[in-house]
Amino acid sequence: MSQLGVTIDGAFLSEQIQQLYAELEARQLIFRPHFWVSNEWFTPDGVPGIAVPFYLAHPRLAKLEMEQMLEVEGGTPEWCMRILRHEVGHAIENAYRLRRLRRRQQVFGRSSDPYPKYYSPRPYSRSFVRHLDVWYAQSHPDEDFAETFAVWLTPDSTWADRYKGWPVLKKLQYVDGLMTGLAAVPPKVVTREEIDPLSELKKTLREHYERKRNHYGIERPSFYDPDLKRLFSDAPAYADKLSAATFLNRFRKEVRRKVAAWTGEYQYTIDQVLEDMIQRCRQLHLRLPLAEEQAKLDFTILLTVHTMTYLRSGRHKVAV
């Protein structure tokens, strides 16, 4: 990966970074994070800068990411800006050492709390903003701050109206007051340190994607058998009906995209669930015992439930 030779100066990233700088300027904040290319999105502790994934630095690499993972995280201007606003929330905390503030700790919690291996999101909670997927503000106090900052920074977000009457409004008001106090204030931390820059990453693209696919993949396909047998059937009476495997393959892309939109999970992860379900349907000789439209609806619900169960089990995807 160190030999890819890509930089942060490509047209796509440059445009999004300049937009981010303009949004900070509009808020009268003089802080500007620095950027570098790495293997994923992240903001290191103590560093007022942001690492962006290599695949956003060149169209061919974005195409490779799509082929390997079935989507490109941050690959559209809107998606990229959502992530950048989140990451700059981390970076500005580093730049001004905001995590040390007692009031910040009272409002959001302590940064010293360990990151959980997994978390169980509460989709209907009104104590957290909704910005990135998988209700990411609920995962840790630092992510709660970064997500709240991102909502505050977003132009024309009308957060005061959107979250009126919600407990989370107090967090937004705190961030608003905190940032107003930082207007025109120089940052305390000005290091330009880069952690894990692409030029120092020695693994190959093959190794990178093997690890990434393994991380977002799943195991134990037989886990789905009871639900598949309730939806489909191996009874002789349905021997002349369409096979469940063929049926699922027909609308694979459609259901994958729907469930990804609902859950915020990687399409790659969902596709692994689908592939295992299709294989189990084939191995169990299951067939379609009901109308296709009803089966499509029932299966979409089933896949959503299993995806959320998988998310709660701890192997969720996030942009950190």
Side-chain angles (χ1 to χ4, degrees):
M1 295 179 72
S2 61
Q3 298 178 350
L4 287 175
V6 293
T7 70
I8 207 75
D9 299 324
F12 177 78
L13 284 173
S14 293
E15 289 178 8
Q16 311 317 313
I17 291 171
Q18 289 306 311
Q19 180 177 335
L20 181 70
Y21 286 168
E23 292 177 7
L24 292 170
E25 183 177 5
R27 294 289 192 167
Q28 299 182 357
L29 295 169
I30 64 175
F31 168 65
R32 301 291 183 271
H34 64 287
F35 292 87
W36 67 96
V37 180
S38 188
N39 62 338
E40 61 182 344
W41 291 101
F42 65 94
T43 299
D45 286 345
V47 177
I50 299 168
V52 299
F54 65 91
Y55 55 77
L56 293 182
H58 196 283
R60 284 202 296 266
L61 293 173
K63 182 179 179 181
L64 176 63
E65 178 76 8
M66 175 65 77
E67 291 172 352
Q68 294 293 321
M69 302 304 299
L70 305 178
E71 62 186 340
V72 180
E73 187 177 31
T76 66
E78 180 183 4
W79 195 357
C80 187
M81 288 308 304
R82 287 207 309 270
I83 297 174
L84 285 174
R85 293 180 189 116
H86 171 95
E87 294 299 338
V88 81
H90 289 307
I92 203 167
E93 280 213 290
N94 293 337
Y96 292 96
R97 300 192 177 107
L98 301 180
R99 297 185 184 97
R100 300 180 182 182
L101 300 177
R102 179 172 298 180
R103 181 57 181 159
R104 188 276 191 196
Q105 296 173 9
Q106 292 172 342
V107 173
F108 290 98
R110 299 179 65 87
S111 293
S112 57
D113 291 348
Y115 268 79
K117 291 183 178 180
Y118 62 90
Y119 64 98
S120 298
R122 292 173 286 141
Y124 301 107
S125 174
R126 295 191 170 193
S127 296
F128 303 89
V129 296
R130 299 172 183 177
H131 180 67
L132 291 180
D133 295 331
V134 297
W135 306 279
Y136 195 36
Q138 301 182 32
S139 65
H140 187 271
D142 287 357
E143 306 307 334
D144 191 7
F145 180 91
E147 287 286 86
T148 305
F149 177 88
V151 169
W152 173 84
L153 182 64
T154 302
D156 303 320
S157 65
T158 62
W159 53 264
D161 292 329
R162 179 182 177 187
Y163 293 101
K164 184 178 181 180
W166 290 32
V168 74
L169 185 60
K170 294 181 179 179
K171 295 178 181 178
L172 283 158
Q173 291 169 337
Y174 170 73
V175 169
D176 186 46
L178 183 62
M179 294 303 126
T180 298
L182 291 178
V185 176
K188 297 178 179 179
V189 179
V190 295
T191 177
R192 307 289 289 183
E193 184 179 6
E194 298 180 1
I195 305 299
D196 292 337
L198 194 66
S199 60
E200 296 180 6
L201 298 182
K202 303 305 180 184
K203 60 185 174 183
T204 65
L205 283 173
R206 180 187 297 275
E207 292 169 339
H208 167 76
Y209 281 114
E210 284 178 351
R211 181 200 64 79
K212 191 170 184 178
R213 289 197 304 269
N214 181 65
H215 177 72
Y216 293 117
I218 66 168
E219 301 173 352
R220 297 172 58 225
S222 61
F223 175 79
Y224 308 109
D225 287 5
D227 287 329
L228 290 174
K229 289 178 179 179
R230 278 192 288 270
L231 180 57
F232 304 114
S233 176
D234 61 353
Y238 301 106
D240 61 340
K241 299 296 184 181
L242 183 68
S243 75
T246 299
F247 167 71
L248 294 180
N249 267 318
R250 281 184 179 178
F251 80 115
R252 184 171 185 157
K253 289 184 179 179
E254 176 187 345
V255 70
R256 187 179 71 208
R257 289 170 181 165
K258 283 184 178 179
V259 175
W262 291 347
T263 65
E265 187 56 273
Y266 267 123
Q267 287 196 45
Y268 179 82
T269 300
I270 297 167
D271 199 64
Q272 299 308 293
V273 177
L274 267 169
E275 178 60 28
D276 284 333
M277 286 183 165
I278 290 170
Q279 290 297 328
R280 291 305 293 167
C281 285
R282 187 173 289 115
Q283 293 163 4
L284 296 170
H285 306 290
L286 297 178
R287 293 189 172 273
L288 199 64
L290 68 166
E292 289 192 21
E293 285 304 313
Q294 184 61 49
K296 184 184 293 188
L297 174 62
D298 291 348
F299 182 78
T300 302
I301 295 171
L302 174 63
L303 183 58
T304 301
V305 169
H306 276 295
T307 299
M308 292 305 298
T309 299
Y310 181 58
L311 177 66
R312 289 194 296 271
S313 74
R315 298 179 67 185
H316 52 278
K317 66 100 179 177
V318 292
V320 180

